[in-house]
């Protein structure tokens, strides 16, 4: 009988902590050995992958993915369910997804939302997965359920400062943060000022400006900057960690890094759309720009991109997630084109389903850009999300005896450049905002708990629907994220 299930030999192994020529042995779905190249010569295994010349990294962890959600951000229906979204993930080198379990405003319970989302994901996933609860009704029942959520393996929530269907008042945000502190839950915050956005939309409507490009105008940087500062202020009042999601504006990022310098447990996420798209992508002939409508919107240009890259390099951003929020473009009932009518022949920006696909392209785009040191790339695309959301070291690392054998094996250097097209992708979406971009890297193999689930040149998608498991999560293990002291109103 072979000693190991799988050997991955001769690769350049890159984790968040080290880079080196290491060989990997896998047994029972776990990393069993991570040893200097050559140390496993003569060892037997059921399968061996020769990664000569290529990089081997922990599988990607994408902690911001919308699948099978109802219309929450205006109109539209998610184009991807758990099957198509998770297969797209593994084809792009991501082995763990954290998606959202949305509570509707009319629904008092978070546990009911969790149960409903479990049903949507059960037996459907190609990747491992967990959920963040979206809390849009922060009433007494929801708050009283935080402890039960922790028991159920959920250690993070998302809340919104905008969108009628989701927005919480500041007092409700404080209620959430206060209980999150007690239960050691990380709160993710969509930080845009809903009132500024609604007011600006009215001004544009008065001028009969409806084209997709006005989506950018209607979400000005000030809406994000103000809400980011307010979210930081509320979090520091309660002394509890938050993560500001999908940060697009370097000025908002400045508030975040200032808070971090003051020692506050403020974390932040950015996404490929803020590194690769600009407002020009929404200003295309006809309705084409609708493909890039997401919130916050892509910003002006190079300078903003540069600011966001720097935030990744210097640690202002803890994670680079996709915010995969997929809608069909051509579909005229639930897709982007559902907003085209006789009255609005180019659609009306405020109704365009809000979001872009990107779960499959996140890692390749970022790696191909060659902007981040390799260990930093692993940190922001895998390890930090695992730590922040209570999955480390099971996910996000290659710790012998502890980590699942989730690996992304890249092609050797010198792989030829090619153009990204939607036809290469495995989501259920009829477009990618990155059509025609040059890509220099793509995962050659994706391995989940020791099983090869993606082999680009040997069958492509070889994983099985339903192999993906739900992950019970613990509290965040990022240093300094949880306060030990009692909160006392008399201290203020
Ligand atoms: N927020 C998200 O997190 N995703 C899509 C749209 C939005 O506003
Ligand atoms: Zn959001
Ligand atoms: Zn999102």
């Amino acid at each position: 009988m072979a000693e190991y299930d799988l050997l991955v030999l001769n690769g350049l192994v890159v984790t968040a902590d080290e880079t080196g020529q290491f060989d990997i042995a896998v047994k029972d779905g776990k990393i069993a050995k991570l040893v200097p190249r050559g140390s496993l010569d003569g060892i037997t295994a059921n399968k061996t992958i020769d990664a000569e010349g290529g990089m081997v990294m922990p599988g990607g962890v994408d902690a911001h993915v919308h699948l099978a959600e109802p219309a929450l951000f205006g109109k539209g229906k998610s184009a991807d369910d758990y099957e198509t979204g998770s297969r797209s993930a593994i084809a792009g080198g991501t082995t763990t997804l954290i998606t959202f379990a949305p509570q509707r405003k009319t629904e008092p319970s978070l546990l009911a939302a969790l149960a409903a989302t479990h049903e949507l994901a059960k037996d459907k996933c190609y990747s491992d997965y967990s959920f963040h609860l979206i809390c849009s009704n922060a009433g007494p029942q929801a708050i009283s359920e935080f402890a039960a959520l922790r028991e159920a393996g959920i250690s993070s929530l998302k809340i919104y400062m905008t969108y009628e269907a989701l927005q919480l008042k500041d007092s409700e945000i404080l209620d959430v943060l206060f209980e999150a502190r007690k239960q050691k839950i990380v709160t993710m915050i969509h930080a845009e000022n809903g009132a500024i956005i609604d007011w600006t939309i009215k001004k544009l409507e008065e001028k009969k400006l409806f084209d997709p490009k006005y989506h950018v105008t209607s979400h000005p940087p000030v809406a994000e900057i103000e809400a980011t500062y307010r979210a930081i202020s509320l979090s520091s009042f309660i002394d509890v960690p938050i993560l500001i999601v999908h940060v697009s504006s370097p000025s908002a990022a400045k508030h975040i890094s200032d808070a971090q310098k003051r020692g506050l447990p403020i974390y932040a996420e950015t996404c490929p759309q803020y590194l690769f798209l600009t407002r020009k992508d929404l200003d295309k002939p006809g309705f084409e720009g609708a493909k890039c409508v997401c919130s916050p919107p892509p910003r002006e240009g190079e300078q903003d991109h540069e600011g966001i890259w720097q935030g990744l390099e210097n640690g202002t951003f803890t994670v680079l997630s996709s915010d995969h929020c997929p809608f069909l473009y051509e579909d005229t009932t639930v897709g982007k084109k559902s907003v085209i009518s006789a009255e609005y022949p180019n659609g009306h920006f405020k109704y365009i389903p809000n979001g872009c696909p990107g779960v499959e392209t996140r890692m390749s785009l970022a790696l191909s850009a060659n902007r981040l040191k390799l260990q930093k790339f692993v940190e922001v695309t895998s390890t930090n999300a695992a730590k922040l959301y209570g999955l480390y070291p099971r996910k996000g690392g290659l710790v012998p005896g502890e980590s699942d054998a989730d690996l992304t094996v890249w092609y050797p250097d010198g792989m030829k450049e090619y153009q990204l097209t939607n036809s290469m992708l495995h989501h259920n979406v009829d477009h990618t905002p990155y059509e025609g971009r040059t890509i220099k890297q793509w995962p050659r193999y994706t391995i989940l708990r020791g099983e090869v689930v993606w082999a680009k040149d040997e069958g492509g998608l070889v994983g099985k629907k339903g192999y993906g498991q739900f992950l019970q999560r613990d509290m965040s293990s990022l240093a300094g994220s949880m306060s030990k002291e009692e909160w006392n109103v008399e201290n203020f």
Side-chain angles (χ1 to χ4, degrees):
M1 211 175 79
E3 286 161 84
Y4 292 101
D5 300 324
L6 173 69
L7 301 178
V8 180
L9 305 179
N10 308 323
L12 180 71
V13 172
V14 185
T15 68
D17 301 321
E18 62 180 343
T19 304
Q21 297 288 341
F22 293 108
D23 290 340
I24 295 171
V26 173
K27 179 96 180 154
D28 297 331
K30 292 275 182 195
I31 300 291
K33 289 199 161 173
L34 176 70
V35 288
R37 180 172 175 152
S39 313
L40 298 175
D41 288 357
I43 298 287
T44 56
N46 294 328
K47 183 176 173 65
T48 299
I49 289 178
D50 182 358
E52 180 71 53
M55 293 179 294
V56 180
M57 297 176 178
V61 178
D62 191 343
H64 189 145
V65 174
H66 301 265
L67 298 177
E69 280 181 16
L72 295 169
F73 321 114
K75 293 176 77 168
K77 177 171 170 282
S78 175
D80 277 315
D81 58 15
Y82 277 83
E83 177 180 344
T84 62
S86 64
R87 85 181 175 208
S88 187
I90 59 169
T94 290
T95 45
T96 295
L97 296 181
I98 314 184
T99 63
F100 294 95
Q103 175 208 33
R104 288 172 182 275
K105 273 226 183 285
T106 49
E107 165 61 69
S109 169
L110 289 169
L111 291 173
L114 176 61
T117 309
H118 266 300
E119 277 309 302
L120 294 173
K122 194 164 155 250
D123 302 329
K124 298 265 183 5
C125 289
Y126 285 82
S127 66
D128 284 353
Y129 63 97
S130 182
F131 311 122
H132 311 287
L133 261 290
I134 289 181
C135 178
S136 63
N137 174 343
Q141 179 169 348
I143 299 288
S144 73
E145 290 175 347
F146 282 21
L149 287 178
R150 284 298 315 280
E151 297 280 305
I154 305 294
S155 53
S156 52
L157 297 168
K158 183 179 177 189
I159 59 174
Y160 287 76
M161 299 169 86
T162 182
Y163 294 120
E164 210 180 330
L166 298 164
Q167 184 171 345
L168 300 186
K169 296 189 290 219
D170 288 356
S171 58
E172 294 168 327
I173 294 174
L174 289 171
D175 286 340
V176 167
L177 294 178
F178 189 68
E179 188 64 18
R181 184 185 201 274
K182 281 198 219 155
Q183 303 301 340
K184 303 201 183 318
I185 284 175
V186 172
T187 305
M188 307 157 80
I189 303 189
H190 180 129
E192 284 188 293
N193 178 316
I196 294 178
I197 293 167
D198 292 344
W199 186 89
T200 315
I201 289 173
K202 285 211 186 82
K203 292 285 168 218
L204 288 163
E205 287 178 327
E206 280 164 24
K207 294 193 158 206
K208 306 230 171 307
L209 299 172
F210 306 123
D211 283 0
K213 67 178 179 184
Y214 294 110
H215 172 74
V216 181
T217 321
S218 69
H219 288 62
V222 64
E224 187 181 6
I225 294 163
E226 186 281 330
T228 299
Y229 189 73
R230 184 157 38 102
I232 292 167
S233 306
L234 298 175
S235 145
S236 75
F237 181 41
I238 303 297
D239 183 22
V240 65
I242 57 168
L243 172 114
I244 313 273
V245 288
H246 46 51
V247 175
S248 70
S249 146
S251 305
K254 174 78 169 57
H255 280 316
I256 291 162
S257 66
D258 287 350
Q260 291 167 342
K261 284 179 195 138
R262 299 204 310 273
L264 299 175
I266 307 294
Y267 301 100
E269 168 196 84
T270 192
C271 313
Q273 43 274 43
Y274 310 120
L275 297 168
F276 299 107
L277 301 180
T278 70
R279 70 186 301 159
K280 285 197 199 75
D281 289 291
L282 284 86
D283 186 10
K284 295 210 171 129
F287 189 62
E288 190 70 15
K291 290 179 180 172
C292 298
V293 165
C294 58
S295 293
R299 298 293 177 195
E300 296 303 313
E302 282 296 303
Q303 254 192 326
D304 295 283
H305 291 174
E306 187 53 34
I308 301 295
W309 279 117
Q310 281 174 16
L312 281 164
E313 279 159 1
N314 68 26
T316 304
F317 295 113
T318 309
V319 288
L320 175 67
S321 310
S322 67
D323 196 3
H324 179 84
C325 188
F327 298 98
L328 293 171
Y329 176 68
E330 293 293 345
D331 190 291
T332 53
T333 49
V334 290
K336 301 253 181 190
K337 285 200 173 170
S338 61
V339 302
I340 294 179
S341 63
E343 189 182 3
Y344 303 119
N346 259 350
H348 184 321
F349 69 86
K350 88 169 168 187
Y351 301 118
I352 297 173
N354 218 306
C356 298
V359 70
E360 191 167 343
T361 46
R362 173 185 75 121
M363 307 254 288
S364 291
L365 280 171
L367 193 56
S368 298
N370 205 16
R371 271 299 307 258
L372 301 175
K373 293 202 173 87
L374 291 172
Q375 289 180 207
K376 175 58 83 174
F377 172 81
V378 173
E379 200 179 288
V380 297
T381 58
S382 175
T383 313
N384 277 354
K387 288 182 176 172
L388 181 66
Y389 297 120
L391 286 170
Y392 189 83
R394 179 169 175 197
K395 302 295 187 186
L398 302 179
V399 183
E402 300 205 44
S403 298
D404 284 353
D406 296 355
L407 299 168
T408 307
V409 180
W410 299 90
Y411 279 92
D413 281 350
M415 178 203 177
K416 68 175 172 21
E417 297 187 353
Y418 61 93
Q419 308 302 114
L420 183 60
T421 67
N422 194 54
S423 59
M424 292 169 47
L425 303 179
H426 298 77
H427 56 195
N428 187 40
V429 192
D430 55 3
H431 66 280
T432 165
Y434 308 107
E435 186 74 32
R437 301 237 168 196
T438 300
I439 292 278
K440 297 182 193 138
Q441 270 291 5
W442 196 268
R444 183 177 167 205
Y445 297 102
T446 307
I447 296 164
L448 174 58
R449 285 179 276 107
E451 293 291 324
V452 176
V453 291
W454 166 254
K456 192 169 184 315
D457 303 322
E458 296 157 46
L461 197 79
V462 291
K464 299 264 176 305
K465 173 181 162 187
Y467 177 64
Q469 292 179 351
F470 174 71
L471 301 167
Q472 295 261 348
R473 292 187 288 121
D474 208 334
M475 63 179 264
S476 175
S477 62
L478 268 191
S481 61
M482 295 292 167
S483 172
K484 292 187 182 62
E485 289 149 32
E486 281 285 305
W487 192 90
N488 184 351
V489 73
E490 292 168 45
N491 291 344
F492 296 93

